[in-house]
Amino acid sequence: MEITGVADLPLHNGKVPNWLIPIMKRMSRALLDVMLLEWGPDKVVQRFSNPLWFQGFNNVIGMDWDSSGSTTVTLGIVKESVNPKEDGLAVLGGKGRASLQVQEELEKISSVLNVDATKLGRISRLVAKVDTTLLQDGHELYHHSLLVTESEWAVIQQGMNVDTKFARRYHWRSVSDPVDQPHEGISGARVDAVLNVLPKEGAKRALLDLLRENPRKIVQEYLRLQSVIRGTSLDTWLNLGTIGAISREARIVYMRPVDVTRVESILERLREANPGNLEEALLLGLGPSTARALSLISDLIYREPPSYQDPVDTPYDPFKYAFAIGGKDGVPFPVNRKVAYEVIITLEDVVSRAKLEKKDKERALNKLRELSVGVKEGT
C-alpha cells in the first residue's frame, strides 16, 4: 500500500453554478475517453492516485484550483461520467453518507467487474482508519472514494480541519499494506504537530503490546502521565527517572482530551479479541483517542515515541492548469464557455476518429483471418 500524496485545500463557500455542471460532465467524459483509449483503465486509476495530476484534471474541467470542493465535485462528476461495463473502471463512495456505501456498491459492480468485493471493502475501511488513527493531523474525514478496475484500485479521501477551515486530501494506490508503508509524495500546508505512528516500527510494536495489557492499568498509567505533562508532580517523576523531557510538539498532541471511560471499554474489547496485528486492531475498533493514550505510554514509559512531524512536503503548484478554461469562482478568470466547448468538441472528435480507425483495423484483421482460413482449406 502506498499513499502517493496529500494536498491542503481551503473551504470555499457557494456551489457550482447549474450552467457549469453540463460542461464539467462533458469535459470529464471527453478526457476520460481519451485516457481510456490511450492508457486503459488501470493507468487512469493510477493517474487519479497522484494528487498533483488529480488537481490538474480538476482545473481543466473548470473547478477552482485551490478549493476543497475540487475533491468532492470532481469525483462526483467522474463517478457520474464513468460506465463500469464499458470503461472497465468504477468510482464508488463519495461525500458524507455516500462514503459509507462503498461495500454495497462493490457488491453491485462485482457482477460487472471481476473484483473481490470483500477484500476491497476491507481495504476501504482500513485506509480510512489509518488516516484517522495512526495518522492524526487535526483533519476529520468527510469524503471517501474508491476507484477500482479488475487489477488496480485507488482511494481518495478528504478531511476538514474545523479550526483552520482547510481540507486535506489523501491519495492511496494499491501496493501492499497501509499500516506498514510510509507516505509517499505528500504535499500540503504543515500544521504544528501531529501524531504519526506509521513511520515508527517500535511505536507500532509497542501499541500492539499495550493492547494485551490490563485495561485498568493502562488507564491509570495514562492518567498519571497526563498529570506529568500538565505540570503537576513533574519533579517527582523526573527524580524517579521514569521519563525525560517532553517536547512542545508532543505536549500539543497528548493534551487533546480523551474520554478515559470509553478508552477503557475499547481496550477491554480489544484485549478479549486479541488482534494479531495493527490491521486487525484498527478494524476491531482501535480509534484515535485510544491510540493517542497508548502512544503517550509508549513514548514516556517505553521510550518508543511516534513521530510528531507533519508528513507533508512542499507541493508543486498546479495553478497553471486553471488557465485551461478558467475556474467557477472566476480565478484566474471566469470559465470561458466558448473555449470549453471547443476543447470538448475537439476531444470528442479525436476519440471518435480513433475508435473508427480501431474498428477499421479490426475489420481488416478479421478479413485477413478469413482469407487465411480459406487458403488453408483450398477455397
Side-chain angles (χ1 to χ4, degrees), residues 16 22 33 50 102 155 157 171 176 179 189 192 208 256 266 271 273 275 282 355:
V16 179
D33 278 336
N50 183 299
V102 170
V155 167
Q157 53 190 8
H171 292 246
S176 56
V179 171
D192 286 340
L208 196 58
R256 295 172 188 166
I266 292 169
R271 189 188 188 199
L282 289 168
K355 287 181 176 179

Side-chain angles (χ1 to χ4, degrees), residues 22-40:
I23 292 176
M24 294 175 70
K25 287 182 178 178
R26 194 170 166 186
M27 180 73 82
S28 295
R29 183 64 249 185
L31 290 169
L32 285 167
D33 278 336
V34 172
M35 292 187 294
L36 288 166
L37 198 64
E38 185 70 19
W39 301 330

Side-chain angles (χ1 to χ4, degrees), residues 111-179:
S111 61
V112 177
L113 296 176
N114 183 23
V115 296
D116 187 334
T118 301
K119 180 180 178 181
L120 286 171
R122 185 177 187 275
I123 284 289
S124 171
R125 295 191 303 275
L126 185 58
V127 164
K129 291 287 290 184
V130 167
D131 278 342
T132 55
T133 301
L134 299 187
L135 171 61
Q136 299 182 38
D137 55 16
H139 294 74
E140 184 176 348
L141 293 184
Y142 68 96
H143 181 103
H144 177 97
S145 288
L146 173 67
L147 290 74
V148 295
T149 70
E150 293 188 344
S151 54
E152 282 279 358
W153 63 263
V155 167
I156 301 172
Q157 53 190 8
Q158 183 159 285
M160 180 64 69
N161 185 313
V162 295
D163 296 323
T164 64
K165 304 300 181 186
F166 268 79
R168 178 172 288 192
R169 189 170 64 234
Y170 310 80
H171 292 246
W172 293 75
R173 180 180 149 231
S174 50
V175 181
S176 56
D177 182 346
V179 171

Side-chain angles (χ1 to χ4, degrees), residues 297-345:
I297 297 170
S298 172
D299 185 351
L300 298 186
I301 301 300
Y302 297 99
R303 304 299 179 95
E304 290 289 359
S307 170
Y308 304 114
Q309 301 300 311
D310 196 335
V312 299
D313 53 25
T314 304
Y316 167 75
D317 187 351
F319 180 66
K320 65 179 182 180
Y321 296 108
F323 287 89
I325 64 170
K328 77 172 179 66
D329 286 350
V331 181
F333 51 81
V335 171
N336 187 320
R337 301 190 205 191
K338 182 174 181 294
V339 171
Y341 279 115
E342 285 177 355
V343 172
I344 290 169
I345 291 168

Side-chain angles (χ1 to χ4, degrees), residues 55-117:
Q55 197 65 37
F57 182 94
N58 156 82
N59 297 158
V60 170
I61 68 173
M63 270 303 292
D64 302 302
W65 73 282
D66 65 343
S67 168
S68 60
S70 66
T71 306
T72 57
V73 173
T74 299
L75 285 168
I77 292 289
V78 173
K79 184 175 182 177
E80 291 185 18
S81 299
V82 299
N83 183 323
K85 188 173 183 179
E86 295 179 3
D87 300 332
L89 70 90
V91 180
L92 315 174
K95 182 180 178 181
R97 288 177 178 269
S99 66
L100 305 176
Q101 297 172 355
V102 170
Q103 185 64 59
E104 180 182 342
E105 291 177 320
L106 275 168
E107 290 168 3
K108 288 180 180 178
I109 67 153
S110 62
S111 61
V112 177
L113 296 176
N114 183 23
V115 296
D116 187 334

Side-chain angles (χ1 to χ4, degrees), residues 207 210-216 218-219 260-273 286 290 293-294:
L207 287 188
L210 287 168
L211 289 176
R212 301 187 177 105
E213 295 289 336
N214 186 318
R216 180 69 59 85
I218 293 292
V219 168
V260 292
T261 302
R262 186 167 183 272
V263 166
E264 185 172 352
S265 174
I266 292 169
L267 286 172
E268 287 174 353
R269 188 169 74 246
L270 288 170
R271 189 188 188 199
E272 184 178 345
L286 177 62
T290 305
L294 295 178

